[in-house]
Amino acid sequence: MKTWSEAAVIQPLASKIITNSIERGRISHAYLLQGERGTGKDAIAILLAKSVFCQNRSGPDPCQVCHACKRIESGNHPDVHWIEPDGQSIRKEQIEHLQKEFMYSGLESDRKFYVIKGAETLTQNAANRILKFLEEPGRETTAVMLTENSQAVISTIRSRCQVIDLKPLHPEAFQEQLVEHGINRPTAVLLSALTNNLDEAIAWSEDDWFAQARKRMIQLIEIITANPDELFLFLHHEWLPHFKERSQQEQGLDLLVLAFKDILYCHIGKDEDLIIFSKGDEKLENLVMFFSQEKLLDILNRLLDAKRKLKQNVNPALVMEQLTVQIQG
């Protein structure tokens, strides 16, 4: 994403709002970009930073070749700061470090620019500290908060930001992009259900970890239905060691959601919408016999609740143990 015209193809409304601000010289002191994974939050933040610091900007578009643009692209601009979750959350100490950085004047300009990734993971203390920036913004300071769920960001932060919603990409168009990059269609359909980020999808398609994740997801469902006595052993020896990071744990739950949706779709005759399984798959037919429609709806709600618990930093092992017991019950 090198220009705002390119950004507008993916996120037309967000691009229009931001470019209007740039052209009028009224860039907001704080933006809150809300959108699912892969909707372009990081790319828009980078493009905005370049537009702010570019030495040869043409209209709203950065030149991409000046010293400032190149340093922002490489992540090495001294006046552009990125804060990301340290483990499961963004901690007070990270914001304190940012505050110290802001005590010094800009090294290459009079401006400061910072991005908070995963703004919903700010601890209470960290959120209170970041409010100081938002309540008393520096004249040349721009903040960009990125989140998958703005409702999980405390209201005092939301109220001080210009909230911009990023729309999900059209899945069929994205699938065609993946096929053009050499990914077979069934895998493209699965990837498009998990992410809208082209680079991320291609990387997953080439990563043995992802293939093994899909395999373990199928194994977990089979053990729940056929060998429940082996469930906890499988969880602690196969599932949890494979899904170590929070993003991986969430992806494991996303795969389970897709699988149980397939079973439900087969129940109600929507075989054309299958993602994990294929039409006529014997495993799928057995699972349709095992789970009732009522039970499948309950499982899907339990899976969404498990995802919420992970975001609230509940122990992943406890989340999975409770979830599998609920699926069995």
Side-chain angles (χ1 to χ4, degrees), residues 28-30 102 110-114 133 137-143:
S28 175
H29 77 281
F102 272 63
D110 294 329
R111 297 196 66 100
K112 289 281 189 180
F113 191 104
Y114 64 97
F133 286 118
R139 195 167 63 89
E140 302 294 335
T141 298
T142 302

Side-chain angles (χ1 to χ4, degrees), residues 69-321:
C69 284
K70 287 183 176 179
R71 296 199 73 176
I72 292 169
E73 182 69 27
S74 65
N76 292 318
H77 196 291
D79 297 323
V80 178
H81 304 269
W82 286 75
I83 306 294
E84 302 188 28
D86 178 11
Q88 302 287 345
S89 59
I90 296 173
R91 305 179 189 283
K92 177 185 70 173
E93 293 76 15
Q94 293 174 267
I95 305 304
E96 288 176 343
H97 178 73
L98 180 67
Q99 287 175 318
K100 289 179 182 177
E101 292 287 336
F102 272 63
M103 290 175 64
Y104 306 103
S105 60
L107 297 177
E108 296 194 1
S109 72
D110 294 329
R111 297 196 66 100
K112 289 281 189 180
F113 191 104
Y114 64 97
V115 182
I116 306 291
K117 289 190 64 174
E120 73 279 5
T121 70
L122 285 159
T123 65
Q124 188 64 47
N125 286 336
N128 289 336
R129 286 190 172 272
I130 208 69
L131 275 173
K132 288 205 173 237
F133 286 118
L134 301 177
E135 290 172 343
E136 303 171 4
R139 195 167 63 89
E140 302 294 335
T141 298
T142 302
V144 181
M145 320 283 282
L146 310 180
T147 181
E148 293 181 30
N149 178 15
S150 67
Q151 295 306 307
V153 178
I154 63 172
S155 59
T156 45
I157 287 180
R158 290 202 312 272
S159 66
R160 287 162 176 78
C161 297
Q162 181 173 1
V163 180
I164 299 177
D165 288 316
L166 304 185
K167 304 303 180 185
L169 301 187
H170 195 284
E172 291 181 2
F174 186 58
Q175 289 164 22
E176 291 303 322
Q177 282 186 291
L178 295 175
V179 170
E180 289 172 6
H181 280 80
I183 297 173
N184 65 63
R185 189 162 295 277
T187 302
V189 171
L190 170 58
L191 291 169
S192 70
L194 294 170
T195 180
N196 286 319
N197 184 297
L198 182 62
D199 292 337
E200 185 174 55
I202 292 172
W204 287 353
S205 72
E206 298 170 348
D207 191 350
D208 183 61
W209 181 91
F210 181 74
Q212 292 299 317
R214 185 177 180 180
K215 178 181 177 182
R216 281 171 171 78
M217 177 270 297
I218 297 294
Q219 288 175 328
L220 178 61
I221 296 174
E222 290 177 340
I223 288 173
I224 288 173
T225 56
N227 299 296
D229 291 342
E230 299 177 12
L231 181 56
F232 272 42
L233 188 65
F234 178 81
L235 275 181
H236 290 277
H237 287 264
E238 296 290 339
W239 184 276
L240 293 171
H242 189 71
F243 298 92
K244 295 178 182 178
E245 304 297 328
R246 193 181 81 170
S247 61
Q248 295 174 339
Q249 294 154 7
E250 291 181 0
Q251 193 174 76
L253 292 177
D254 287 338
L255 287 168
L256 284 167
V257 167
L258 294 176
F260 281 104
K261 277 185 177 180
D262 274 8
I263 304 169
L264 180 60
Y265 286 160
C266 194
H267 252 294
I268 61 180
K270 295 183 66 176
D271 294 359
E272 69 278 4
D273 294 328
L274 300 181
I275 293 175
I276 297 294
F277 300 98
S278 56
K279 189 174 181 178
D281 188 327
E282 185 179 348
K283 289 181 181 177
L284 177 58
E285 292 176 356
N286 290 335
L287 292 170
V288 170
M289 296 292 291
F290 189 88
F291 294 106
S292 68
Q293 291 185 35
E294 182 180 10
K295 180 60 178 177
L296 289 166
L297 290 172
D298 178 68
I299 289 171
L300 289 170
N301 283 324
R302 302 285 190 181
L303 284 162
L304 295 177
D305 186 54
K307 285 193 69 174
R308 283 192 290 269
K309 288 178 179 177
L310 284 181
K311 288 184 180 295
Q312 294 166 356
N313 299 331
V314 179
N315 182 278
L318 180 60
V319 170
M320 288 305 300
E321 288 173 0

Side-chain angles (χ1 to χ4, degrees), residues 46-73:
I46 292 170
L47 190 55
L48 178 56
K50 289 178 180 176
S51 294
V52 166
F53 288 96
C54 180
Q55 298 153 359
N56 304 306
R57 198 178 76 206
S58 175
D61 288 328
C63 70
Q64 300 292 344
V65 296
C66 70
H67 186 61
C69 284
K70 287 183 176 179
R71 296 199 73 176
I72 292 169
E73 182 69 27

